[in-house]
Every structure is written in structure tokens, then in C-alpha cells.
Amino acid sequence: MKISVPKGTKDILPEEMKTWRYIEELFTDVCLNSGYGEIRTPVFEYTGLFDRGVGETTDIVQKEMYTFVDKGGRSLTLRPEGTAGIARSYVEHGMASLPQPIKLFYKITAYRYENVQKGRYREFNQLGAEVLGAESPNADVELISLLGNFFSKLDIGDLSLEINSIGCSKCRPAYNDILKEYYRDKIAGMCDDCKRRYETNPLRLIDCKEEKCIAASEGVPYITDHLCEECAEHFSSFRTGLDRLDIDYTLNKRIVRGLDYYTKTVFEFISENVGTQGTVCGGGRYDGLISAIGGNDVPGVGFSMGVERLIMELESRNLLPGTERIPEIYFVTVGEKSYAYARKISCALRKADVYTEMDLLDRSVKAQMKDANRKKAKYVVVMGEEEISINKAEILVMETGERKEVSLDSIYKRIIEKKV
Ligand code: HAM
């Protein structure tokens, strides 16, 4: 029986990997240039980290985690996102005692048991960044401007940014009471998820996508009108910071995000090209996360974006990079001696970062020439036993068809010095 990839996962083949590498390298450069250091944490963590970090009332924890018991009887979970693991690492490595803030970025795979559809997978990739230990809205602004820089370099600088503030542990409880009051006579007609969340996390009722729930939320009071002084001031400074950098945004009072750890700033970059979800990138502030997982009271803010969705966005705008690699030189050989000679030069050139190609299938000269053409090699060096014996080889300039005879000894030097 043929075995295929598990549902919701996919192979990324060499052609596509070029785009991935391009995106990942660009992201790495943008992050390094803003003083962020790369971090890698394990693919699986103790389940309790996500229960406490992401939140027991979230869809992720309740329905979507890949949880298993290992042979030692421990409950482990494949990470559904990266922030909780990074917060754990921050606490575990005593990063709070280092000069603050700690600025980190990451490239990870994440796992959620979701309904698979366009732009929604069970294994997906995220690029993200986190700032730990900075309470100031300047950190929130820095992250958004880093993203703006990254998107501009990809030529998608016009992605829509939507922002909101969802308050903190001081103002949220009172607002939750206001919400419950508002929904009290509507909840019976809302979906089962909303009924469950009414008690545990009423904020999420606002962004339910079910039609009857959207209708019920028509006149809902928004938290932006009920923020405490500190949150209101933080949000206002955040917006001023964006304005000063001429960063366009829309205030979307319905953004509440699907993870429990958020406080104050939340934001999303939206596009209609990336499937029903529409979110290319999401993030926000999580001032209570580190203390919720056993650390001190340390603020945090960050984002992550789905690489698969980013690629969909680039694809739909015809912006996939032309990153085809073309061999500088293709050695066409006849016989063992010339093959061995060419292999030696080829190895030396590869060491000097020149892309060379050689046959691996004992092909005829004609077939090797065909392969060189197919690979669009710039130059072909033809070597036979006879040429070797008189210290000569023929270089063929593929674009013009021009042929030159050169001495074998000079090939390496000529190619390196581009004097072919
Ligand atoms: P999130 O909104 O759950 O936030 O995910 C961030 C991004 O990951 C989404 O905007 C989307 O592009 C991508 N994504 C999520 N689920 C899937 C899926 N099933 N298939 C494909 N792509 C997906 C977080 O994960 C937070 N950790 C973001 C954050 C970092 N907040 C603060 N710091």
C-alpha cells in the first residue's frame, strides 16, 4: 500500500525551497539588523506549559493540540505556537537577570489539529520575534516597523495592519462583566463555542465567525471604551509611535486574538489572498505570560507569521523570487581519466564557491551536452583523454556558441578570475 504524507502536512520540494530560503534569509537579516538574536526551542514541551501559557479555555488547548504520553509516562505536546516555549526558555535560563530587554527571533514548525483548508494546515511554519522585559509601547512599535521593513523588502508593504487593545488584568474583569450583561439574553441563540466561552472567556464571543453570533454581537460594547488609564495611555502612545513612522493601520475593535495570554496591544496583518482566515501575521503584548508559567512579572510582546500564507500572498501577486541557480560551468568528460581530472577541478571550484556540474550517470557526450543545456550552464568544458594528454580542454560559451581552446592548468585560474 502506498503511504502518503499525513493529512494537513506537506513536503517542501527543492524548487519551492528556493522561495523558503529566500524568505527565511531575508527575515534573518531584518531581525539581526534590529538587534534580535535567534533562538531554537524544542518541538515538544510538557503539556502544562501550553495549558497555562496559551490558556485552557482556548480552541488550541481544548481541541487542537497533538498531545501524547511518552514511554516515561510524561504528557508532552507538539508546540502549537512558539511564544510559550520562548517564555519558558527565558525563565529557565534566568534571562531576567541579563540586561533587558531580551530580543529574540525564530523560525519554527508548529502543530495544530485543525480543519484543513486553504492556508490552514496541521503542520505549518512560523517566523516570529519576541521582546521580553520591555513594558514600553516603543517595543510594540519596533516590532511593527520590523515587520513593515520585512514586508516592504518582499514588495508586499501594503498589507493591511489592524490593531486593537484588549486591556489587562486590571480592566478586563470589569469589562467581562459588562460583556456578560450584554450577552445575557442573547447567549441562548448563539453557537455552542460561544455558550462555553460565555463563562470562561466572554471576550472571544466578539470575534465568533458564526452568522447568528455576528448578528448577536452587533451592538456589543468594546473594550477600547473601558480600558483602565494605564492601558488607554499605552494604546495611545502605541498609535502615536505608528503615526510618527507613517505606518498605516486600522483600528479594528473586533480583534481579540485566539490565545489567552494577550494583554493591551493586539494586531494582525490581513490579506484576502491567504484563505478564509485572512491573517498573514498576528501578535500582541502578553504581560502576564511569564508569571503565569512560573517566572517573575516580566512583560512581553511579539508576533508570528505563517510562512505558507506568506508564500500564498507572494504567489497571488506574482512575486515569487526567480532564484534559479545556474551552473557556472558544466564539465563534459569522455572516459575515466578525464572524468577524474575534471572532478578534481570541479571540487576545487566548488570549494571556491563556484557552482559546477558533472555527470553522475555515465552518460554519452551528447547526453551530457543535453543535460548542460537543460541546466542552462554558462560554460561547458569538454575534456577527452586526448585533450588531457596534450594538456588542453575546450571551453564552450553556451550563450554565443563560441569555442576556445585553453590549457588545462589555466582552467581553474580562468574561471575564478572570470577570464574564460
Ligand atoms: P497565531 O495567530 O495563532 O499567533 O498564529 C500566527 C500566524 O501563524 C497566523 O497569522 C497564521 O499566519 C499562522 N498560522 C496559524 N495557524 C495556522 C495553520 N493552522 N496553518 C497555517 N498557518 C497558520 C501565534 O501563534 C502567536 N504565538 C503569535 C505571537 C507571538 N504573539 C505574540 N508573540
Side-chain angles (χ1 to χ4, degrees), residues 8 54 60 64 80-84 106 108 110-115 117-131 143 257-259 261-262 267-269 274 277-286 289 300-310:
V54 172
I60 293 180
E64 297 170 1
E81 56 100 54
T83 313
Y106 52 94
I108 60 167
Y111 303 84
R112 296 182 193 174
Y113 191 82
E114 299 219 56
N115 288 328
Q117 47 183 265
K118 192 179 169 207
R120 208 199 243 175
Y121 308 97
R122 291 184 176 168
E123 180 189 65
F124 56 97
N125 289 262
Q126 287 187 334
L127 301 177
E130 315 286 347
V131 178
L143 286 163
R257 310 274 304 134
L259 300 94
Y261 51 59
Y262 289 111
F267 59 86
E268 291 181 348
F269 281 86
V274 299
Q277 312 309 306
T279 319
V280 179
C281 174
R285 183 160 275 284
Y286 45 89
L289 173 59
V301 56
F303 66 77
S304 38
M305 59 192 132
V307 183
E308 290 81 1
R309 293 191 193 172
L310 202 56

Side-chain angles (χ1 to χ4, degrees), residues 342-398:
R343 175 59 77 188
K344 226 171 162 173
I345 305 177
S346 173
C347 280
L349 285 167
R350 286 180 183 178
K351 268 192 202 158
D353 297 326
V354 178
Y355 172 19
T356 64
E357 274 289 355
M358 284 189 67
D359 176 46
L360 292 176
L361 297 175
D362 289 331
R363 280 183 278 211
S364 67
V365 170
K366 197 170 154 204
Q368 288 180 61
M369 284 303 295
K370 205 169 152 194
D371 191 39
N373 261 317
R374 193 174 53 82
K375 294 199 161 88
K376 301 183 187 149
K378 279 197 212 151
Y379 305 105
V380 168
V381 171
V382 188
M383 277 186 197
E385 308 277 310
E386 202 182 312
E387 279 92 343
I388 300 257
S389 67
I390 55 167
N391 189 31
K392 286 266 168 355
E394 189 176 58
I395 293 189
L396 188 59
V397 184
M398 296 300 271

Side-chain angles (χ1 to χ4, degrees), residues 237-273:
S237 305
F238 170 59
R239 294 176 67 169
T240 306
L242 296 182
D243 293 340
R244 284 188 180 143
L245 291 176
D246 294 325
I247 295 172
D248 286 336
Y249 63 84
T250 315
L251 171 63
N252 180 350
K253 297 182 178 183
R254 283 181 182 270
I255 294 185
V256 297
R257 310 274 304 134
L259 300 94
D260 275 359
Y261 51 59
Y262 289 111
T263 53
K264 295 183 176 153
T265 315
V266 285
F267 59 86
E268 291 181 348
F269 281 86
I270 311 284
S271 165
E272 58 200 23
N273 301 323

Side-chain angles (χ1 to χ4, degrees), residues 48-68:
L49 173 69
F50 302 116
D51 289 344
R52 278 201 272 159
V54 172
E56 266 164 332
T57 68
T58 59
D59 277 356
I60 293 180
V61 169
Q62 292 203 341
K63 304 180 194 166
E64 297 170 1
M65 294 209 301
Y66 280 91
T67 297
F68 59 98

